[in-house]
Structures are given as C-alpha cells and as structure tokens.
C-alpha cells in the first residue's frame, strides 16, 4: 500500500469517530509506529485537524467534516491518473500540494469508488522519457505571485552556463513543455517579456510589493512570439 492510500484509509477510520492508537494503526497497515507518526504529521500538514489524546490515541477534532461531494468512478479514475502524471513533475512544491489536496478529495469517495480507485492505482505506470533531470521547489510560490501580482526577485542561471544573473520580474503566466515549467514574466533588467525555466531559478524571493496588471494574454503572446 502506498503512503497516500494509507493516509486515505487512516482518515476514513478517523472519520468514523473511532479513537485509534498508533499501535493499532501500525498493526492494521503492517508498518512501524514511527511510520504512523509520520502519517499523522502528513495529515496535519494537509490541514486535517487530528488531535492527540494523551494515553488514548488519535481522533478528529469535533465538528470536522468534509464536504459531501460525490464523484463518479470515471472522475475518480481521472484523479488517479492525474496523480501519476503529476508525480512525474520535477517540482516538489507542486507534487506535495497536489498530494495533500488529493488526500482530502479521496476521503469523500464512496467506499466502492475508493476501492476501485486504489485498484487502478496499482495498474497504472508512466515511463519517464529521457530529459534533463533538474528538480525545483518554486512552482507553488510562483503561482501565488502570479495571481496576487507580486514582484519576484530571482537569481537565474541560463542553460549551458554556470553564470547567474539577478532579475526583478513581474510573473505573468506559465506553460509546460518537455517536463519543464516555463515562467513568462516582465523583466525589469531587459524591459521586455522574458521566459524563465523554473528549474533554472536558483534562488527566489516573493516580494510584498505588488505591480500593476499589464493585462498579459498568453494566447496573444504565443501568436506574436511562440516559445520565445
């Protein structure tokens, strides 16, 4: 059983109003107590209000519930497939945020849908195609900067060079190609729109200062200068 599957199962048990100890959970899922401790912390990080009752075990905070959204089997399968695709991403912030959201989504699956989705989980595999394997951890923060119109300061390293340059940019949009996320931004150094590979951003800082919306349109950009 994958960690995500186990987290969903633990959350489902806690939703049943049961009080569960780490020892009980470790035996049920055939893992160590330390693994259960990590699982509980992961649920807490995902925003699930797990309370620890000293000497008795774990429970969900009173009044906690998940919105009663119903998913069809096809919709559940689409989420499972998306999980496999997204886990190929080289940006850890994006993967972590998606998986934390998926924990909450899967917790509202009907039992029959949940069982079938877990079956499908083990029957899908995506092979990696050869590509430059450089990880990043900035995508989620950059997305927030785009929607909140926050300046970003970056140290950027172009491909085939070890030199970095400092840029102050206005993030406008993003696209993905060949497993790489590309950020389009107004660059104050070049006084023009520029494209930046997210995995080539070595350091970044989201500023509280906001910029004026330039009404950037992604489709117009591609038509005027595709893949600039």
């Amino acid at each position: 059983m994958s960690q995500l599957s186990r987290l969903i199962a633990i959350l489902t048990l806690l939703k049943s109003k049961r009080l569960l100890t780490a020892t009980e959970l470790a035996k049920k899922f055939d893992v160590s107590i330390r693994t259960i401790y990590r699982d509980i912390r992961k649920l807490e990080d995902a925003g699930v209000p797990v309370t620890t009752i000293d000497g008795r075990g774990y429970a969900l905070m009173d009044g906690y519930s998940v919105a009663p959204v119903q998913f069809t089997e096809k919709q559940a399968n689409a989420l499972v497939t998306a999980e496999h695709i997204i886990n190929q991403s080289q940006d850890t912030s994006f993967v972590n945020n998606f998986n934390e959201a998926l924990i909450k989504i899967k917790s509202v699956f009907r039992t029959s849908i949940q069982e079938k989705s877990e079956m499908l989980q083990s029957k899908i595999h995506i092979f990696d195609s050869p590509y430059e394997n450089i990880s990043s951890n900035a995508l989620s923060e950059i997305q927030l900067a785009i929607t909140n119109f926050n300046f970003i300061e970056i140290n950027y390293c172009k491909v085939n060079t070890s030199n970095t340059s400092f840029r102050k940019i206005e993030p406008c949009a993003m696209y993905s190609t060949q497993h790489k996320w590309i950020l389009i931004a107004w660059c104050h150094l070049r006084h023009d729109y520029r494209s930046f590979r997210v995995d080539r951003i070595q350091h970044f800082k989201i500023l509280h200062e906001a910029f004026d919306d330039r009404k950037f349109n992604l489709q117009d950009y591609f038509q005027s200068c595709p893949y600039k």
Side-chain angles (χ1 to χ4, degrees):
M1 176 181 284
S2 67
Q3 183 193 42
L4 184 58
S5 299
R6 192 172 60 250
L7 291 172
I8 299 301
I10 292 173
L11 180 54
T12 301
L13 290 172
L14 290 172
K15 282 172 57 184
S16 69
K17 307 299 183 182
R18 293 179 56 186
L19 189 63
L20 300 166
T21 67
T23 301
E24 289 173 332
L25 291 170
K27 289 181 179 178
K28 180 173 182 60
F29 297 108
D30 194 25
V31 295
S32 67
I33 292 178
R34 186 177 296 275
T35 295
I36 295 300
Y37 291 157
R38 288 195 293 266
D39 288 346
I40 295 298
R41 176 59 62 85
K42 190 74 174 178
L43 287 172
E44 292 172 338
D45 290 343
V48 178
V50 180
T51 60
T52 303
I53 302 174
D54 291 339
R56 297 181 61 192
Y58 301 110
L60 286 180
M61 183 180 295
D62 289 341
Y64 175 76
S65 62
V66 184
V69 180
Q70 295 297 322
F71 291 87
T72 66
E73 185 175 352
K74 287 183 178 179
Q75 291 168 341
N77 289 346
L79 287 168
V80 170
T81 305
E83 177 188 355
H84 280 270
I85 295 172
I86 287 172
N87 281 335
Q88 301 300 308
S89 171
Q90 296 300 300
D91 190 275
T92 56
S93 67
F94 178 51
V95 173
N96 288 339
N97 281 315
F98 178 83
N99 285 333
E100 288 174 1
L102 198 58
I103 291 171
K104 298 177 181 179
I105 293 171
K106 282 190 172 183
S107 69
V108 302
F109 285 178
R110 298 194 307 273
T111 301
S112 60
I113 296 294
Q114 190 172 112
E115 291 174 351
K116 290 181 179 180
S117 70
E118 295 305 328
M119 179 192 302
L120 184 64
Q121 177 84 25
S122 65
K123 295 180 181 293
I124 292 179
H125 182 78
I126 296 177
F127 288 98
D128 291 334
S129 58
Y131 62 93
E132 187 181 5
N133 186 15
I134 303 177
S135 62
S136 62
N137 191 31
L139 187 60
S140 293
E141 294 293 332
I142 290 173
Q143 288 173 335
L144 288 178
I146 290 174
T147 57
N148 290 284
F149 302 100
N150 291 120
F151 286 103
I152 306 178
E153 292 179 344
I154 63 173
N155 288 330
Y156 189 71
C157 181
K158 292 184 177 180
V159 180
N160 300 324
T161 180
S162 59
N163 297 327
T164 61
S165 60
F166 174 81
R167 311 286 184 100
K168 184 176 181 180
I169 60 175
E170 301 173 15
C172 298
M174 309 186 79
Y175 66 91
S176 178
T177 179
Q178 298 179 337
H179 295 277
K180 301 299 180 186
W181 280 102
I182 312 299
L183 169 65
I184 304 172
W186 178 268
C187 177
H188 282 245
L189 178 64
R190 303 302 182 194
H191 301 289
D192 196 2
Y193 289 108
R194 287 291 186 269
S195 298
F196 302 93
R197 269 179 45 178
V198 173
D199 61 341
R200 305 296 302 186
I201 297 175
Q202 296 191 343
H203 300 284
F204 71 95
K205 181 180 181 181
I206 310 296
L207 304 182
H208 294 299
E209 179 186 2
F211 57 85
D212 293 331
D213 184 4
R214 294 179 182 269
K215 307 299 182 183
F216 177 86
N217 183 282
L218 188 59
Q219 296 304 317
D220 291 344
Y221 176 83
F222 285 145
Q223 290 176 5
S224 62
C225 49
Y227 302 103
K228 181 175 179 180

